[in-house]
Amino acid sequence: MSKIVVAYWSGTGNTEMMAESIAEGIKEAGQEAEVVSMDNFNASDLKDCSAFALGCPAMGAEELEDSIVEPFVDEVVGFASGKKIGLFGSYDWGDGEWMRLWEQQMKDAGAEIVGGEGVICNNEPDDEAKENCRKLGADLAVV
């Protein structure tokens, strides 16, 4: 059994907490999870994975973090076709535009967004957000 990778970048720890909840959902569904920070992981290691999760909080004017996440995601776009990808992240302002743009970027690359849309939460994930993350993990585990 291969592990389902949950790769994320987190500035405050909120997106990291979401990643841990996704891993819980994967494990509860009977699969193994590997939670990794994007700054210590190579995107190319996801090429052979049929399903994985990517997480990033909204930065700046509702965009992906530009020094680590954007280059990571740009590499994933190159092999995303046919992959099942769960997207997640936290935000402090705005309405989730960064996630909608990220979803579209992955869809345009040929990926299937697990659950139909990314999981987002305002600031620190509350119980509902953690449950949404566990559900995303469980959905990843059965694709």
Side-chain angles (χ1 to χ4, degrees), residues 100-140:
R100 291 190 299 276
L101 294 172
W102 196 9
E103 291 164 1
Q104 192 59 54
Q105 179 186 25
M106 292 292 106
K107 288 176 185 175
D108 289 348
E112 177 185 331
I113 304 302
V114 176
E117 63 184 4
V119 174
I120 63 175
C121 73
N122 186 255
N123 292 311
E124 185 174 329
D126 59 14
D127 290 342
E128 179 181 0
K130 288 177 184 176
E131 181 56 36
N132 290 338
C133 288
R134 283 190 291 275
K135 182 177 182 336
L136 174 60
D139 289 347
L140 276 166

Side-chain angles (χ1 to χ4, degrees), residues 62 91 93-98 100 120:
E62 283 210 77
Y91 66 99
W93 61 90
D95 68 354
E97 179 182 20
W98 103 101
R100 291 190 299 276
I120 63 175

Side-chain angles (χ1 to χ4, degrees), residues 11 19 22 34 45 66:
I22 291 167
E34 180 179 6
D45 292 339
D66 61 358

